[in-house]
Amino acid sequence: MTFRADRHVHILIIGGGVIGTSVAYHLARDGAKDVLLVEKAMLTHGCTWHAAGLVGQLRGKRNLTPLMKNSVYVFDRLEAETGQHIAWKKVGSLRLAGSPERWSEIRRSMTQAKSFGVECHSLSADEAAARFPYIIRDGIEGAVFIPGDGYIDPYSLTMAYAKGARMFGAKIEEGVCVEEIVIHNRRAFGVVTNGGVIPPVNNGLQK
Ligand SMILES: Cc1cc2nc3c(=O)[nH]c(=O)nc-3n(C[C@H](O)[C@H](O)[C@H](O)COP(=O)(O)OP(=O)(O)OC[C@H]3O[C@@H](n4cnc5c(N)ncnc54)[C@H](O)[C@@H]3O)c2cc1C
């Protein structure tokens, strides 16, 4: 396999959905050099395009709550930072529990969320209905209201991350499909794409 020395990167990101562009944005913003994102079709062509865009910080898994809290923190500044409209509507969310078991699960998540500084309020069925009158109160054991939740346009968010990533020096190439990851001595030494091979910087294999 021939590696071209003129085509190398430190960090290659495969896939231009909301996750890939977010990773590119955060790395480039933190000063990473030679960041390249390749997308086989166009940005947002995967799952991201289909997402409803609901942003909820209450999570069952411990590591996901701070991650979502940080996402909200980023959404709060991203539009001003990049100039790209993201339709971030921080309207809050209501999560309803329709059984005692679900209510106890939600309360456990609330305790965890509060320990990470996420503002959340426990509500009765009547208090929840006061916020959203269409709720049928029968069988509702309790509810949680999270003022910092909301919804966002996933397409625009991805475009904002991409714009921010480029602003901080990352490169994004659409129409580039990764066809193989080259493994050498159990390490990844580049990728084969439909547009040629991309080796990492200083991998010792360039010719
Ligand atoms: C109907 C629906 C509703 C949803 N609602 C919500 C919601 O309300 N809230 C929420 O948080 N999440 C929601 N999700 C989940 C959310 O959409 C995904 O978690 C998120 O979009 C995943 O982003 P991603 O960047 O990992 O993946 P993707 O958006 O799928 O991006 C992967 C990208 O990689 C590219 N790619 C794949 N293979 C290659 C290759 N070999 N070379 C180059 N590029 C490649 C693809 O073209 C694609 O663009 C929803 C999902 C669906 C389907």
Side-chain angles (χ1 to χ4, degrees), residues 42-189:
M42 292 168 75
L43 295 179
T44 77
H45 252 58
C47 237
T48 298
W49 192 86
H50 301 274
L54 304 179
V55 177
Q57 295 168 87
L58 199 67
R59 299 284 159 157
K61 294 214 168 88
R62 196 175 158 73
N63 54 351
L64 288 181
T65 296
L67 185 73
M68 287 307 299
K69 187 182 172 205
N70 186 65
S71 295
V72 167
Y73 175 71
V74 174
F75 300 162
D76 284 344
R77 70 157 194 257
L78 195 63
E79 190 165 315
E81 186 178 43
T82 62
Q84 163 73 47
H85 183 56
I86 56 172
W88 171 218
K89 309 284 183 214
K90 207 173 183 178
V91 293
S93 73
L94 272 179
R95 195 167 296 211
L96 308 179
S99 68
E101 293 77 19
R102 179 73 179 132
W103 184 221
S104 117
E105 187 189 332
I106 286 182
R107 274 182 303 165
R108 260 200 314 277
S109 301
M110 275 178 71
T111 307
Q112 186 175 277
K114 280 181 180 168
S115 76
F116 287 113
V118 176
E119 184 185 347
C120 43
H121 305 277
S122 173
L123 304 181
S124 66
D126 285 346
E127 287 168 329
R131 291 193 170 272
F132 190 72
Y134 300 103
I135 291 170
I136 297 167
R137 279 170 263 189
D138 296 348
I140 300 293
E141 295 285 330
V144 55
F145 172 58
I146 305 188
D149 283 353
Y151 60 95
I152 197 162
D153 173 22
Y155 172 87
S156 306
L157 174 62
T158 306
M159 292 306 168
Y161 276 141
K163 192 172 175 190
R166 287 186 177 113
M167 272 167 44
F168 292 110
K171 291 201 177 79
I172 296 178
E173 294 179 7
E174 293 172 291
V176 177
C177 182
V178 172
E179 294 167 343
E180 186 190 340
I181 297 175
V182 182
I183 307 290
H184 185 77
N185 287 340
R186 301 177 65 197
R187 286 177 58 198
F189 270 93

